[in-house]
Amino acid sequence: MNIDRFIASRKELGLSQSELAEGICTQATLSRFENNGQVPNLKIVLKLCQKLNLPLSDLFSKVGFKYTETISKLNEIEFLLITCEYEKAQSLLTQVSVKEVDASEICLRYLYLKGFLMALQKEKDTDVLFVFDQILLDNDLKETDIYRLLAYTGVGLVYMENKELEKAEYYFNKVLAQIYHYSIETTEDIWRVLHIVFQCGVFYSEINELEVSNALLEYAVLICSDNHVTYYLARAYFQLVLNSLKEDLASEIVLERLYDARAFAKINHNDKLLDSIAALEKQLLPEKEDAI
């Protein structure tokens, strides 16, 4: 609540605390409100504002603006995360201060995005784990909460990058026990479930459990299809290409998946993935480069 705005209005009218409080509340109640932020009954606040000709909404407008601005930035950061624009996302994240907003869901979202951006940009492991621990140590979160599942995924990713695969598998298995049952209700749910499923697919490919990896990636494709989104289709198909190469599948299958990945990467303007696709195509079809 913007108490400074309230005090400024009282002083502009030349009213003392006692004069403003008269007939509404005690001077002590008003003093606790102005000096200590102890908000009295809302009816009292409304009457005080009416006496000051101050719209009640003016006391909340600043907080509402910060909340909206923060939500807007986090939406953009989350989209940049799923399109692999990590540097842009990190730059935008530095502009967000969760202290401006007293909302636990916003803080959890901030921590999840911060942790993954740090992990994917290979920042110090202990710093990354500390971020995810702040989510996992939140006693208000259920085991099935999406932010807890995202944190498990992030911790698993850190251990995978360090080739501590048994530790990584412990966390990814905790995710798999829950993610298939998670109810997708919002666009943000789609993004987060896809992020989890994709990262799990990458991990199980890393440990050569390709059947599990393929099932997860195909589940990601199904989620995209059912919800009419394309953000993860390119990445899922590209990982299926890498799995196909491990499985030594026919070149026709590999190239079909590669071209599917390229088509969706173009739709989503995922330039980094397009570079990876072009590099792999050059390896698979070196004669094409020679002909050019």
Side-chain angles (χ1 to χ4, degrees):
M1 183 171 286
N2 190 353
I3 297 174
D4 289 341
R5 176 77 176 89
F6 179 91
I7 295 172
S9 296
R10 176 175 64 77
K11 291 182 177 180
E12 286 171 7
L13 293 177
L15 295 174
S16 67
Q17 286 186 343
S18 297
E19 290 170 332
L20 177 58
E22 186 176 359
I24 301 175
C25 63
T26 66
Q27 186 269 335
T29 296
L30 179 55
S31 177
R32 286 194 295 270
F33 174 53
E34 290 192 351
N35 298 321
N36 300 320
Q38 294 183 20
V39 181
N41 184 291
L42 188 58
K43 290 182 179 179
I44 293 176
V45 178
L46 181 58
K47 288 179 180 180
L48 291 170
C49 287
Q50 288 173 343
K51 195 168 182 177
L52 293 172
N53 294 318
L54 175 67
L56 182 63
S57 59
D58 281 10
L59 300 186
F60 298 94
S61 59
K62 186 176 182 182
V63 174
F65 170 75
K66 288 181 178 179
Y67 180 85
T68 303
E69 183 180 45
T70 301
I71 290 289
S72 177
K73 285 181 180 177
L74 291 177
N75 285 342
E76 186 175 352
I77 292 164
E78 193 156 9
F79 183 77
L80 290 169
L81 172 66
I82 63 179
T83 55
C84 306
E85 297 289 345
Y86 304 138
E87 292 180 3
K88 290 182 181 179
Q90 184 65 50
S91 176
L92 192 59
L93 191 68
T94 61
Q95 302 173 30
V96 175
S97 174
V98 291
K99 293 181 180 179
E100 294 178 348
V101 181
D102 184 18
S104 60
E105 196 276 339
I106 304 304
C107 293
L108 289 169
R109 189 180 185 189
Y110 172 85
L111 289 169
Y112 129 64
L113 292 170
K114 181 179 180 180
F116 270 101
L117 288 171
M118 291 172 66
L120 292 167
Q121 294 183 104
K122 307 296 189 294
E123 295 194 26
K124 189 177 179 181
D125 294 338
T126 53
D127 291 341
V128 179
L129 293 175
F130 176 71
V131 173
F132 287 127
D133 276 346
Q134 291 177 69
I135 298 176
L136 295 176
L137 294 174
D138 188 328
N139 294 325
D140 293 331
L141 292 182
K142 297 179 180 179
E143 191 69 13
T144 56
D145 190 280
I146 193 66
Y147 290 108
R148 185 175 291 277
L149 298 179
L150 284 161
Y152 284 147
T153 304
V155 174
L157 180 62
V158 171
Y159 286 123
M160 181 183 74
E161 290 296 322
N162 284 281
K163 304 302 180 184
E164 297 182 71
L165 300 182
E166 287 188 9
K167 293 179 180 179
E169 188 171 12
Y170 171 81
Y171 287 97
F172 281 114
N173 281 343
K174 290 178 75 70
V175 174
L176 283 189
Q178 303 293 341
I179 196 61
Y180 280 104
H181 307 293
Y182 188 81
S183 177
I184 297 175
E185 299 177 0
T186 68
T187 300
E188 289 77 13
D189 284 338
I190 298 170
W191 292 353
R192 293 161 196 170
V193 170
L194 282 171
H195 189 65
I196 289 171
V197 172
F198 174 76
Q199 295 295 345
C200 287
V202 172
F203 169 72
Y204 284 99
S205 176
E206 178 73 15
I207 62 174
N208 290 316
E209 291 193 17
L210 298 176
E211 186 175 350
V212 176
S213 177
N214 288 336
L216 285 162
L217 296 167
E218 287 164 5
Y219 180 46
V221 171
L222 179 63
I223 293 172
C224 291
S225 176
D226 287 349
N227 294 280
H228 309 290
V229 297
T230 61
Y231 307 130
Y232 265 92
L233 281 174
R235 297 176 70 183
Y237 275 118
F238 186 68
Q239 185 61 48
L240 283 168
V241 170
L242 300 180
N243 288 3
S244 299
L245 292 172
K246 286 186 175 183
E247 295 172 291
D248 199 25
L249 296 184
S251 59
E252 293 82 2
I253 296 175
V254 175
L255 290 173
E256 181 181 1
R257 289 177 173 176
L258 186 66
Y259 296 149
D260 284 340
R262 182 168 63 189
F264 287 115
K266 285 183 177 179
I267 291 173
N268 295 323
H269 305 289
N270 193 332
D271 295 331
K272 288 189 176 181
L273 185 56
L274 285 169
D275 290 341
S276 298
I277 291 169
L280 182 57
E281 184 180 17
K282 184 178 178 180
Q283 294 177 31
L284 296 173
L285 300 171
E287 67 276 4
K288 180 177 178 181
E289 183 72 15
D290 294 339
I292 294 174

